[in-house]
């Protein structure tokens, strides 16, 4: 057999190969030793590289976290900056500072501050005189009331007294609870006559920090920790505080009456060219990477930390991986004979990987097709825009809604072709608002123009569009077609208006028919008796003349009685009185129709009701109808003109003074012209198209039947005031003491 045929046999072919490789392995022993040295250096270098890379990642995370936390902290700290300045402009505050001894003024100021504080959502709002004495406060009726407390040792008081805005964080002298105090001066004729301050609690921003794994804290300009996730660090110093500053802090009682400087239980070390420092915690020996975010506008420094153990763990993991890689390299050199086999295995692995990639690609295509089918089946329109307002995506429902194809809309910048030409200013304003990140979560109603020229009413709900890396890349809007609902509402409103018009016509017709029928006979009798009396007088028959005149008087009284009964019917029996509360009448009127009508007209309703019940003797149902009628008139008046400078607002106010109760309905409509005010309560006088002119006349008749009066006048700043004045209800005890 030819020896050259031996390689055809696998066993014989594999036998001589090791004999050729062993010499090469022996010759490569020095190379392997050098390779081991290089592998050791690679392990060390890889560990340091991984540690530095993890450290850079941690610094980057800390920087972003610091920016986010600083933004939130600044938002809470500056949220109520406007409140002291705005409150200081109120005339009631100046009146309180001019007349601090007036209990009536104090009570009014306390009520005003309490209402403003509750509406704004701040913690406390109070007014101090130039000596630092609190004259009025939003918590005047609580055990920890600020009233009669003196805060002249607080820096924010001196800042405001000097004419500047003050800001001060410290522990409350009265409540013992910390907070941020913001103050503003009260000016009068160029001089400061008092100070208004608001207290804001910082717990909403600090409480979530306690759930974090690593400490977060804030220091003031002196390095004192006053806010953070570790309660034991609060009010402790991160650096030495000069004796003069210590005395000043103790005098101001910024961090409590018994505060003394104590160092924090950690030490901060700078890290060379690193963007932050390393924080060493005493006791357990923990170390943290600390990044400081300066807040120069507040005079604070925010520090966020991250456990430095992750850097050590990254170094150790890199060492382990580098050691494993070096070991694999050495093993690869020792097991060189397996190279062919491993290459074949790798080839098979690549084939399997390609098959898996193809399967995954097919699955992704199926998922994309499913998603596209799902989007095309939606009845809600979807529209995506980039940060510049360019349309990058629309679904089929959106295209059907406006009548344009997707390729006609994608790439378009404002103005879009479906914007309604009559509302371009509103569309531009809405687009600018959304692109500025101020879109309302409640959505926005818009009228669009379909390609065929028809109007489409829609509701737009817009939110941020985030990519797979968490980056904000645009805005996604869902669009709901409410055209059918809008048309149904308009038809319902038209039917209700027609029904009300028919009811008014029927009412007037009934009144006219009743008057004509009832007065026909007595008027005819009056004519006959008058003719008879004239004849009898000519015949000189005094007895018959007297009888005729008596009968004529009786018919006249009968006609007057008929008119009285008709008036009684129109008033719906107002004589049936009972004790009732004006505040309850306002609430019932709001519940019946007034609040719904105000919402439909986009008018805000504000109440300024007396704190105690205002009781009068009246027909409760008719009183509620009068309030409802006056409120509806006010809403219609505000719809008859463009948006006023002071905004559209319906104000209902009740009060009791000097034995009389008052209920005022204030609007921001066009007001009362002199020629209208003179005839306002005349029957059948109206300035509204389709009106009968009986509403105010009947309202005044009802109020007068209850012993009161209905007044009307112009409101300062624009609008009108309609006021119902009724005698206060007298209890049995007070009635018994009357002469």
């Amino acid at each position: 057999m030819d020896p050259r045929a031996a390689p055809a046999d696998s066993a014989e072919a594999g036998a001589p190969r090791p004999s050729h490789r062993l010499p090469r392995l022996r010759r490569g022993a020095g190379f392997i030793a050098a390779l081991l040295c290089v592998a050791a250096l690679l392990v060390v270098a890889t560990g340091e590289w991984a540690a530095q890379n993890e450290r850079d990642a941690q610094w980057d995370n800390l920087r972003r976290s610091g920016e986010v936390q600083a933004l939130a902290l600044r938002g809470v700290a500056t949220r109520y900056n406007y409140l002291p300045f705005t409150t200081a402009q109120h005339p009631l505050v100046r009146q309180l500072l001019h007349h601090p001894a007036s209990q009536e003024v104090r009570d009014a100021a306390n009520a005003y501050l309490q209402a403003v504080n509750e509406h704004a959502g701040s913690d406390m709002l109070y007014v101090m005189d130039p000596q630092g004495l609190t004259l009025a406060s939003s918590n005047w009726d609580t055990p920890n009331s600020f009233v009669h407390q003196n805060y002249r040792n607080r820096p924010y008081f001196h800042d405001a007294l000097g004419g500047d805005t003050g800001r001060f964080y410290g522990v409350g002298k009265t409540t013992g609870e910390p907070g941020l105090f913001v103050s503003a001066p009260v000016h009068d004729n160029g001089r400061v006559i008092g100070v208004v301050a608001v207290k804001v609690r910082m717990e909403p921003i600090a409480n979530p920090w306690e759930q974090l794994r690593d400490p977060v804290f804030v220091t003031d300009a002196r390095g004192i920790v006053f806010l953070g996730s570790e309660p034991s660090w609060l009010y402790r110093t991160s650096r030495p505080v000069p004796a003069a500053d210590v005395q000043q802090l103790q005098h101001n009682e910024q961090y409590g009456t018994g505060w003394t400087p104590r160092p924090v239980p950690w030490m901060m070390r700078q890290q060379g060219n690193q963007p932050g420092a390393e924080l060493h915690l005493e006791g357990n020996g923990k170390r943290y990477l600390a990044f400081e975010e300066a807040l120069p506008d507040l005079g604070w420094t925010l520090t966020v930390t991250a456990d430095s153990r992750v850097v050590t763990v990254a170094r150790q993991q890199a060492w382990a991986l580098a050691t494993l890689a070096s070991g694999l390299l050495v093993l690869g050199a020792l097991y060189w004979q397996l190279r062919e086999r491993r290459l074949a295995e790798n080839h098979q692995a690549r084939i399997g990987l390609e098959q898996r990639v193809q399967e995954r690609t097919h699955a992704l295509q199926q998922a994309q097709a499913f998603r596209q089918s799902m989007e095309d089946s939606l009845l809600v329109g979807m529209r995506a825009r980039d940060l510049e307002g360019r349309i990058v995506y629309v679904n089929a429902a959106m295209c059907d809604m406006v009548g344009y194809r997707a390729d006609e809309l994608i790439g378009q910048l404002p103005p879009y072709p479906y914007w309604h030409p009559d509302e371009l200013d509103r569309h531009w304003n809405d687009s600018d608002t959304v692109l500025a990140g101020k879109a309302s979560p409640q959505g926005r109603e818009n009228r669009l123009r379909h390609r065929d020229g028809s109007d489409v009413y829609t509701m737009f709900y817009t939110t941020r569009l985030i990519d797979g890396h968490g980056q904000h890349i645009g805005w996604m809007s869902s669009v709901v077609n409410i055209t059918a609902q809008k048309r149904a509402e308009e038809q319902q409103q038209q039917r209700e208006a027609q029904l009300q018009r028919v009811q008014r016509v029927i009412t007037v017709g009934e009144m006219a028919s009743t008057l004509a029928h009832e007065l026909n006979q007595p008027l005819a009798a009056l004519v006959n008796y008058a003719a008879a009396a004239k004849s009898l007088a000519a015949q000189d028959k005094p007895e018959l003349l007297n009888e005729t005149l008596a009968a004529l008087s009786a018919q006249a009284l009968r006609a007057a009685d008929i008119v009285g009964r008709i008036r009684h019917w129109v008033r719906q029996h107002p004589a049936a009185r009972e004790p009732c509360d004006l505040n309850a009448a306002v609430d019932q009127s709001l519940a019946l129709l007034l609040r719904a009508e105000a919402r439909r007209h986009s008018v805000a309703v504000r109440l300024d009701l007396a704190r105690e019940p205002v009781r009068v003797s009246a027909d409760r149902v008719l009183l509620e109808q009068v309030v409802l009628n006056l409120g509806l008139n006010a809403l219609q008046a505000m719809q008859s003109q463009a948006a006023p400078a002071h905004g559209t607002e319906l104000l209902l106010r009740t009060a009791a003074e000097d034995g009389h109760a008052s209920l005022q309905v204030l609007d921001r409509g066009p007001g009362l012209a002199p020629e209208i005010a003179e005839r306002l309560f005349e029957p059948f006088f109206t300035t509204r198209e389709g009106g009968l002119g009986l509403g105010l006349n009947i309202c005044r008749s009802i109020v007068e039947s209850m012993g009161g009066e209905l007044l009307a006048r112009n409101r300062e700043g624009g609008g009108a005031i309609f006021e119902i004045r009724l005698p206060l209800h007298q209890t049995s005890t007070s009635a018994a003491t009357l002469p």
Side-chain angles (χ1 to χ4, degrees):
M1 187 175 183
D2 190 350
R4 290 176 293 179
D9 185 88
S10 60
E12 294 179 5
R17 291 184 182 178
S19 62
H20 294 289
R21 291 174 181 171
L22 286 176
R24 287 197 296 266
L25 290 175
R26 286 194 292 268
R27 288 192 300 267
F31 172 76
I32 293 176
L35 185 62
L36 290 175
C37 294
V38 173
L41 293 175
L42 180 63
V43 168
V44 175
T46 302
E48 292 305 316
W49 173 84
Q52 185 61 39
N53 188 58
E54 182 63 26
R55 187 180 292 107
D56 292 340
Q58 290 297 320
W59 285 125
D60 189 58
N61 292 336
L62 287 175
R63 184 182 296 105
R64 288 197 297 269
S65 177
E67 292 173 354
V68 172
Q69 297 293 351
L71 183 62
L73 185 64
R74 184 177 285 107
V76 174
T78 59
R79 179 180 179 184
Y80 297 100
N81 284 356
Y82 74 95
L83 194 54
F85 173 80
T86 303
T87 305
Q89 311 308 312
H90 199 281
L92 188 59
V93 175
R94 295 191 182 94
Q95 186 179 2
L96 172 66
L97 293 169
H98 285 302
H99 305 284
S102 173
Q103 187 61 41
E104 182 180 0
V105 176
R106 282 175 176 264
D107 293 342
N110 283 329
Y112 168 71
L113 294 176
Q114 186 178 33
V116 172
N117 184 68
E118 291 177 355
H119 181 74
S122 54
D123 190 25
M124 303 294 176
L125 182 64
Y126 51 102
V127 179
M128 296 169 285
D129 64 12
Q131 288 73 39
L133 181 65
T134 303
L135 301 179
S137 174
S138 61
N139 69 339
W140 61 274
D141 56 349
T142 63
N144 293 328
S145 172
F146 283 12
V147 179
H148 303 309
Q149 299 293 331
N150 196 298
Y151 302 103
R152 63 175 174 269
N153 65 329
R154 294 291 199 174
Y156 69 84
F157 170 78
H158 293 284
D159 292 340
L161 200 62
D164 297 325
T165 300
R167 183 182 286 108
F168 171 82
Y169 184 93
V171 177
K173 293 177 59 177
T174 304
T175 62
E177 297 177 352
L180 177 65
F181 298 82
V182 182
S183 62
V186 181
H187 293 279
D188 188 22
N189 295 328
R191 62 188 184 91
V192 177
I193 62 172
V195 174
V196 177
V198 62
K199 180 181 179 182
V200 182
R201 301 189 65 175
M202 304 296 289
E203 281 78 4
I205 189 65
N207 288 340
W209 292 350
E210 298 179 2
Q211 308 300 323
L212 300 178
R213 181 184 61 185
D214 303 318
V216 179
F217 57 90
V218 183
T219 57
D220 61 13
R222 297 182 176 91
I224 300 175
V225 178
F226 66 90
L227 197 67
S229 60
E230 295 292 335
S232 61
W233 295 1
L234 295 181
Y235 314 135
R236 303 180 76 169
T237 61
S238 61
R239 61 175 180 265
V241 180
D245 289 351
V246 172
Q247 293 178 358
Q248 181 67 30
L249 290 171
Q250 292 175 345
H251 172 73
N252 296 338
E253 299 180 64
Q254 182 170 359
Y255 301 120
T257 55
W259 179 82
T260 56
R262 291 187 303 153
V264 292
W266 41 259
M267 182 173 57
M268 192 85 75
R269 294 179 180 175
Q270 295 298 326
Q271 294 295 305
N273 59 351
Q274 297 296 324
E278 189 173 31
L279 188 146
H280 295 257
L281 193 63
E282 298 176 0
N284 55 17
K286 283 188 175 181
R287 296 186 178 185
Y288 297 91
L289 298 177
F291 181 82
E292 295 182 345
E293 181 74 21
L295 305 173
D297 52 334
L298 301 175
W300 301 343
T301 300
L302 170 69
T303 303
V304 293
T305 65
D307 196 340
S308 62
R309 287 182 301 178
V310 295
V311 178
T312 303
V313 171
R315 180 187 289 112
Q316 293 173 351
Q317 291 177 346
W319 284 346
L321 292 175
T323 302
L324 180 61
S326 300
L328 291 176
L329 181 62
V330 174
L331 289 176
L334 295 175
Y335 294 97
W336 185 260
Q337 66 272 20
L338 300 177
R339 183 176 64 86
E340 305 291 338
R341 177 181 172 184
R342 289 182 179 176
L343 288 176
E345 292 175 352
N346 290 339
H347 179 68
Q348 293 297 327
R350 282 195 299 272
I351 294 176
L353 180 60
E354 291 175 357
Q355 292 177 348
R356 289 194 295 271
V357 169
Q358 293 177 356
E359 294 172 356
R360 184 64 181 273
T361 302
H362 179 71
L364 289 175
Q365 292 173 347
Q366 293 293 331
Q368 176 66 18
F370 177 82
R371 184 181 69 86
Q372 187 65 40
S373 299
M374 181 180 65
E375 291 177 357
D376 292 341
S377 66
L378 287 176
L379 298 179
V380 176
M382 303 295 294
R383 182 195 68 185
R385 299 188 294 171
D386 61 16
L387 296 175
E388 297 178 355
R390 181 180 288 102
I391 298 177
V392 297
Y393 167 79
V394 288
N395 69 342
M398 183 65 187
C399 295
D400 294 339
M401 201 176 300
V402 298
Y404 293 91
R405 300 191 309 273
D407 59 336
E408 294 176 318
L409 295 177
I410 293 177
Q412 289 279 352
L413 285 167
Y416 304 126
Y418 51 79
W419 277 7
H420 200 286
D422 296 340
E423 299 186 1
L424 287 179
D425 292 340
R426 180 176 180 181
H427 286 306
W428 277 113
N429 182 61
D430 291 348
S431 179
D432 294 341
T433 300
V434 170
L435 295 179
K438 300 178 181 179
S440 172
Q442 289 79 24
R444 183 73 173 179
E445 181 178 328
N446 278 308
R447 181 163 62 128
L448 307 181
R449 175 62 60 86
H450 193 274
R451 191 169 195 166
D452 61 8
S454 61
D455 291 348
V456 180
Y457 293 90
T458 60
M459 284 294 295
F460 273 75
Y461 301 90
T462 303
T463 186
R464 290 173 175 265
L465 182 62
I466 307 299
D467 64 6
H469 302 287
Q471 298 295 322
H472 176 210
I473 61 172
W475 307 94
M476 175 63 75
S477 299
S478 57
V479 187
V480 181
N481 191 337
I482 60 171
T483 304
Q485 175 185 347
K486 198 73 175 179
R487 291 174 179 169
E489 291 177 355
E490 292 177 355
Q491 293 175 357
Q492 180 65 23
Q493 292 174 3
Q494 293 175 358
R495 286 195 294 269
E496 290 178 355
Q498 292 175 355
L499 179 61
Q500 292 176 0
R501 189 178 301 107
V502 170
Q503 289 176 344
R504 289 195 297 268
V505 172
I506 291 173
T507 300
V508 174
E510 290 178 352
M511 291 174 58
S513 177
T514 301
L515 284 171
H517 177 75
E518 293 292 338
L519 292 178
N520 185 43
Q521 293 181 355
L523 290 177
L526 285 173
V527 173
N528 293 332
Y529 281 127
K534 182 178 180 180
S535 176
L536 292 173
Q539 299 174 13
D540 193 16
K541 296 180 180 180
E543 294 181 359
L544 294 177
L545 177 61
N546 290 336
E547 293 177 1
T548 302
L549 292 176
L552 188 148
S553 299
Q555 291 300 323
L557 292 175
R558 180 185 175 189
D561 182 63
I562 290 173
V563 174
R565 285 191 289 113
I566 295 299
R567 186 180 181 185
H568 182 70
W569 172 71
V570 172
R571 295 179 179 179
Q572 299 183 3
H573 306 282
R577 303 184 193 176
E578 61 182 351
C580 56
D581 182 16
L582 285 184
N583 294 343
V586 172
D587 292 337
Q588 184 64 18
S589 300
L590 289 173
L592 285 174
L593 183 61
L594 197 52
R595 193 182 300 278
E597 283 296 303
R599 188 181 302 111
R600 188 172 68 85
H601 290 292
S602 301
V603 175
V605 178
R606 186 163 65 89
L607 301 180
D608 185 10
L609 305 182
R611 299 190 61 185
E612 300 295 333
V614 182
R615 303 185 67 81
V616 297
S617 179
D619 188 316
R620 178 181 56 82
V621 176
L622 288 180
L623 183 59
E624 293 170 357
Q625 291 299 322
V626 170
V627 177
L628 180 59
N629 193 2
L630 295 179
L632 293 176
N633 285 348
L635 292 176
Q636 292 169 354
M638 284 187 281
Q639 293 302 310
S640 65
Q641 67 168 7
H646 296 277
T648 55
E649 178 192 71
L650 176 61
L651 173 61
L652 301 176
R653 177 187 295 157
T654 61
E657 57 182 2
D658 300 330
H660 281 81
S662 170
L663 191 157
Q664 295 181 348
V665 179
L666 301 91
D667 64 54
R668 286 296 183 186
L672 304 174
E675 63 273 17
I676 294 177
E678 294 177 357
R679 305 183 56 194
L680 192 61
F681 297 100
E682 291 182 8
F684 304 103
F685 173 76
T686 179
T687 60
R688 188 173 68 252
E689 182 179 357
L692 291 177
L694 293 175
L696 289 178
N697 179 265
I698 294 176
C699 287
R700 186 175 67 172
S701 299
I702 292 174
V703 174
E704 289 177 351
S705 71
M706 300 176 186
E709 57 182 346
L710 178 59
L711 307 174
R713 62 183 182 274
N714 283 317
R715 182 181 182 185
E716 182 178 356
I721 302 176
F722 283 81
E723 181 178 10
I724 302 171
R725 290 181 60 83
L726 293 170
L728 286 172
H729 173 68
Q730 301 293 330
T731 61
S732 59
T733 302
S734 61
T737 61
L738 295 175

